[in-house]
Amino acid sequence: MLDPRICPACKELERRPVVEHGKRVCETCDHRWSFRHLPLFALTGPSGAGKSTVGPALVERLAGQVIVFEQDVLWVAGLRDDVEGHPRFRSAWLRMAAMTHQNGRPVVLCGTVVPPEFERLPERALFSDIHYLALVADPDVLTNRLRARPAWREWDEPRIAEMLEFNDWLQRNAASMGVSLFDTTNATLDATVDHAADWIRARLRSDEVAWDAVT
């Protein structure tokens, strides 16, 4: 699968890809080719809220329906840009997800991200929609979870305080950004996985209906 920004006919790379009615359109040569314009699911939230625990469980629960990725696997030197929002890192993930979508299954991406970090990027055009579900937790519970992590993860007190600020900010601003919330403070793993799986399935059905109406 080519980088979805590259035209298979003229080989030009478009920084701002165009998708129209299930076709990628090359603005250089006007070549059009079939393109699965699927939704992306972002399982987000602060560290310690449960993303890395829920993600693997979703692999089992939604096998055959979606493909689950852990965002941090690409947090490598070449993508660790220090620009606010990490656009190089985010763009790489959007291209990876769009390429994966061409196999016919939507991607669930587990990792901390908020809509402004994806929605402003040119690669956003490669998706019919991006749905955001944020796992959050009570500050004291989040603090205890992060302090209990292995030393190699380097969760010192300043870093924990920063994550608590993000946890609070996310809960205050989720509604205005179109982000769904689920509080894992007292929720069991099974209950959290049930909620995430049901949330994904409901949006898969909704997107399928919308796509049928267009086609």
Side-chain angles (χ1 to χ4, degrees), residues 28 37 45 53 81 85 98 152 166 170-171 176 206 212:
T28 300
H37 202 217
T53 304
D81 52 332
W152 67 266
F166 175 65
L170 185 56
Q171 292 183 71
S176 65
S206 176
D212 288 343

Side-chain angles (χ1 to χ4, degrees), residues 101-164:
H101 281 179
Q102 303 318 298
N103 294 283
R105 293 180 187 172
V107 164
V108 177
L109 184 59
C110 303
T112 300
V113 66
V114 291
E117 294 172 328
F118 272 163
E119 300 295 332
R120 65 183 181 182
L121 296 174
E123 291 87 352
R124 169 62 181 84
L126 300 171
F127 304 91
S128 61
D129 205 344
I130 302 181
H131 303 291
Y132 301 84
L133 172 62
L135 304 183
V136 294
D138 177 84
D140 291 338
V141 170
L142 205 61
T143 298
N144 291 335
R145 290 176 183 173
L146 293 174
R147 284 176 179 165
R149 288 187 166 182
W152 67 266
R153 302 194 69 171
E154 300 179 339
W155 278 100
D156 57 18
E157 294 306 309
R159 192 178 171 203
I160 291 173
E162 182 179 314
M163 195 53 59
L164 294 179

